């Protein structure tokens, strides 16, 4: 028997890395938006970021939106997303790296006045250095 190993390195199996796109770069580019200190206030121990699509659909709100629809503010809408994501984690009956959670939000369409039930997806994955991070996405985003 030989003591030589049949294990391959990732590079020998997949080849040289052509390019990488780090989480830090996605935040810098605006593809992800860092939830910042409010995520800690909502009970998260790991960094949280939202996709730009989630931000546009569920968080973004301006004074013009408040004048034309119902009065809200962007930080309150971010709090709603983060609080319900945190609640979803705490009350989940199973474990895993992803979770669907629901909350109520007013559509930013210039006319809606009533909140409607909205579903988002939360994924736990590795950050740029292998640390745990959380990303909140629309259900059809990957």
């Amino acid at each position: 028997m030989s003591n030589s190993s049949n294990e391959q390195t990732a590079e020998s199996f997949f080849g040289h890395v052509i390019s990488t796109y780090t989480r830090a770069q996605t935040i810098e580019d605006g593809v992800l938006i860092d939830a910042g200190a409010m995520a800690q206030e909502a009970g998260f121990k790991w960094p949280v970021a939202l996709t730009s699509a989630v931000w546009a659909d569920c968080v973004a709100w301006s004074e013009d939106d408040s004048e034309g629809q119902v009065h809200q503010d962007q930080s309150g809408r971010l709090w709603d997303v983060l609080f319900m994501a945190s609640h979803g984690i705490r009350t989940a009956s199973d474990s895993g790296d992803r979770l669907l959670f629901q909350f109520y939000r007013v559509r930013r369409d210039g006319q809606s006045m009533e909140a409607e039930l909205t579903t988002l997806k939360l994924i736990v994955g590795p950050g740029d250095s292998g640390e745990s991070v959380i990303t909140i996405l629309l259900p059809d985003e990957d």
Side-chain angles (χ1 to χ4, degrees), residues 32-92:
L32 292 178
I33 293 105
D34 185 1
M38 192 179 289
Q40 290 179 327
E41 292 173 33
F44 288 97
K45 306 244 186 278
W46 300 329
V48 177
L50 294 77
T51 64
S52 58
V54 167
W55 189 274
D57 187 53
C58 300
V59 178
W61 200 262
S62 69
E63 285 297 319
D64 289 341
D65 295 321
S66 287
E67 288 176 18
Q69 291 184 248
V70 62
H71 181 75
Q72 295 190 331
D73 66 31
Q74 194 163 276
S75 80
R77 287 170 62 92
L78 176 58
W79 176 257
D80 291 346
V81 170
L82 294 172
F83 180 82
M84 292 308 294
S86 177
H87 176 73
I89 291 170
R90 289 190 313 269
T91 60

Side-chain angles (χ1 to χ4, degrees), residues 112-124:
S112 295
M113 301 297 258
E114 298 288 324
E116 60 186 39
L117 194 59
T118 303
T119 301
L120 294 176
K121 178 172 55 177
L122 177 148
I123 297 177
V124 177

Side-chain angles (χ1 to χ4, degrees), residues 16-34:
H16 294 292
V17 175
I18 296 170
S19 110
T20 60
Y21 192 44
T22 67
R23 185 175 176 93
Q25 289 171 317
T26 63
I27 290 171
E28 185 178 313
D29 292 346
V31 174
L32 292 178
I33 293 105
D34 185 1

Side-chain angles (χ1 to χ4, degrees), residues 92 94-100 121-124 135 137 141-142:
D94 58 346
S95 62
D97 66 346
R98 55 197 64 222
L99 167 78
L100 293 176
K121 178 172 55 177
L122 177 148
I123 297 177
V124 177
T135 306
L137 313 92
E141 288 185 297
D142 287 326

